[in-house]
Amino acid sequence: MTIMPLARRGITTSRLILGCMPFGGGWNSNPITNEDRLNAERAVDAALSIGISMFDHANIYTMGKAEETFGGILKGRPGLREQIVIQSKCGIRFADQAGPGRFDFSKSHILAAVDSILQRLGIEYLDILLLHRPDALMEPDEVAEAFGILKAAGKVRAIGVSNMSPGQIRFLQQALPDQIAVNQLEMSLARLDWLDQGVHVNQTAGVQVNFSEGLIEYCQIERIQIQAWGPLAQGRFSGRDVANEPAHIQKTAELVSQLATAKETTPESIVLGWLMRHPALIQPVIGTINPQRIIACQDAERQSQLMTREEWYTLYVSARGKNMP
Ligand SMILES: NC(=O)c1ccc[n+]([C@@H]2O[C@H](COP(=O)([O-])OP(=O)(O)OC[C@H]3O[C@@H](n4cnc5c(N)ncnc54)[C@H](OP(=O)(O)O)[C@@H]3O)[C@@H](O)[C@H]2O)c1
């Protein structure tokens, strides 16, 4: 039986996660409208209807409005909070009077950010707090101190990271008493560096690949849950108009469509099933808030189990736009 890395840390959740980045309207200070609330509510209902029980946030999404909107939904549904896993992120700061857009893993930022997140969501604790992007000035002891305070106060149960290399994770980990639970990375049929890095070892063709060496294997060895952001490739292979995209993207979209028809499923489930077929037990963080598209993801896990090695490579090679080395 497959045991997900998060389950090994006592966090039981669905394989798919709903990304809540678009909740609450635009990335501005306009007020949240009733339509924004309704759109979010419909997305949450669609997600729950297909068994999704984990929701991904960040303090910066729509300038805090995503969390506030989600908080409104939780308020209207007593009991829901305990049935779901809520994850949020901090560490990115927008440009302000104090400085340019920057990263901040200081104790004071982490503590203040978590208090604001909990207040916006209207909840007592986060299941997982992710550090959003590596802070060049990161000091693991300071992060450990902040996490220790949050954990002791019952405000955060587990810590994870996002967009980090093995070296950065190891650097942080040596100061933390708890094991880093998650690394969230951009991975999809349109963002293939996570695979290309491995197949091009010892080859000049690999010099353009932009991915940390051994990252996927490192997370597997350490049983760090890999979560994929951007897993639907923003719809490129599941219905979005790709007339202006390169030929190999158009061809891959056709292949996905043919496979979906042959397997009597949806293109979304093929695209996500392809990611989930990888032995790293990836958790896709889907970013659509269109209820039909969310429901179209329902068959993804089954498709991952049905997908043959040949089908998987056919999609990979097509999306790469070049043959295996
Ligand atoms: N850790 C990080 O640094 C990081 C960075 C970015 C995002 N994230 C997380 O990952 C989640 C997903 O990211 P993502 O939004 O880039 O992922 P995605 O799931 O690949 O793309 C979702 C986007 O594509 C659109 N889309 C999907 N299918 C479509 C179709 N057939 N036609 C037209 N548009 C379509 C969706 O619009 P509709 O809503 O209209 O369907 C939505 O805007 C976010 O919500 C967030 O939680 C994390």
Side-chain angles (χ1 to χ4, degrees):
M1 200 184 85
T2 305
I3 303 176
M4 297 297 287
L6 278 183
R8 292 179 189 278
R9 306 196 196 299
I11 300 173
T12 308
T13 170
S14 54
R15 185 75 186 267
L16 294 180
I17 302 171
L18 185 71
C20 301
M21 188 166 70
F23 281 21
W27 291 61
N28 51 43
S29 53
N30 296 348
I32 301 166
T33 64
N34 279 339
E35 197 188 343
D36 297 331
R37 287 194 189 91
L38 217 55
N39 287 339
E41 191 121 24
R42 288 187 184 126
V44 169
D45 278 334
L48 294 172
S49 80
I50 62 161
I52 291 180
S53 63
M54 182 161 181
F55 296 84
D56 181 70
H57 286 271
N59 61 346
I60 57 167
Y61 291 166
T62 61
M63 321 287 272
K65 290 186 290 179
E67 288 173 337
E68 200 182 323
T69 306
F70 198 83
I73 295 171
L74 290 176
K75 198 171 171 195
R77 302 181 188 203
L80 179 59
R81 200 279 164 257
E82 294 309 318
Q83 292 159 27
I84 60 177
V85 172
I86 303 179
Q87 165 178 281
S88 191
K89 317 181 193 76
C90 70
I92 296 181
R93 298 187 70 151
F94 294 125
D96 55 19
Q97 282 177 338
R102 56 201 183 276
F103 304 129
D104 191 344
F105 289 0
S106 64
K107 179 179 155 193
S108 59
H109 170 71
I110 294 172
L111 294 181
V114 169
D115 281 343
S116 307
I117 289 169
L118 295 178
Q119 193 186 23
R120 282 191 292 272
L121 288 168
I123 59 177
E124 301 291 316
Y125 66 92
L126 278 178
D127 294 282
I128 311 175
L129 173 70
L130 303 190
L131 300 170
H132 207 153
R133 278 189 182 277
D135 174 9
L137 298 177
M138 133 163 97
E139 295 189 48
D141 288 339
E142 197 175 346
V143 174
E145 209 184 322
F147 179 58
I149 292 169
L150 292 169
K151 195 154 183 215
K155 294 179 180 177
V156 169
R157 295 199 165 163
I159 188 165
V161 298
S162 179
N163 306 303
M164 281 204 198
S165 70
Q168 290 165 328
I169 297 174
R170 271 200 304 268
F171 184 47
L172 257 181
Q173 186 64 75
Q174 42 86 29
L176 287 167
D178 289 37
Q179 234 204 313
I180 290 174
V182 168
N183 191 14
Q184 196 177 104
L185 304 160
E186 187 179 12
M187 307 163 95
S188 72
L189 267 174
R191 172 73 159 94
L192 292 166
D193 303 63
W194 62 286
L195 292 169
D196 289 343
Q197 186 267 334
V199 298
H200 281 301
V201 167
N202 204 26
Q203 292 215 314
T204 46
V207 294
Q208 300 297 335
V209 175
N210 180 20
F211 200 77
S212 234
E213 190 181 347
L215 175 54
I216 300 299
E217 295 82 355
Y218 175 76
C219 291
Q220 286 178 267
I221 291 165
E222 297 299 329
R223 297 202 162 127
I224 295 170
Q225 178 67 60
I226 298 175
Q227 296 176 349
W229 63 265
L232 289 168
Q234 291 78 40
R236 278 182 189 82
F237 307 108
S238 52
R240 198 175 100 187
D241 181 6
V242 285
N244 293 325
E245 299 266 351
H248 67 278
I249 297 287
Q250 296 183 26
K251 191 186 140 217
T252 308
E254 274 172 39
L255 266 175
V256 168
S257 165
Q258 285 162 12
L259 262 180
T261 305
K263 289 169 177 272
E264 298 182 341
T265 190
T266 60
E268 285 84 352
S269 290
I270 296 291
V271 167
L272 298 174
W274 177 84
L275 264 180
M276 294 155 86
R277 167 69 176 79
H278 191 278
L281 301 175
I282 296 159
Q283 257 193 315
V285 187
I286 59 170
T288 175
I289 57 163
N290 175 314
Q292 282 77 38
R293 287 190 192 126
I294 293 172
I295 289 167
C297 300
Q298 180 169 21
D299 199 27
E301 190 164 9
R302 196 176 71 94
Q303 289 306 322
S304 75
Q305 290 154 1
L306 295 174
M307 193 171 288
T308 64
R309 176 175 284 267
E310 288 66 33
E311 288 164 344
W312 188 89
Y313 266 102
T314 299
L315 289 171
Y316 175 28
V317 171
S318 171
R320 266 166 59 87
K322 44 186 182 293
N323 289 333
M324 284 292 113

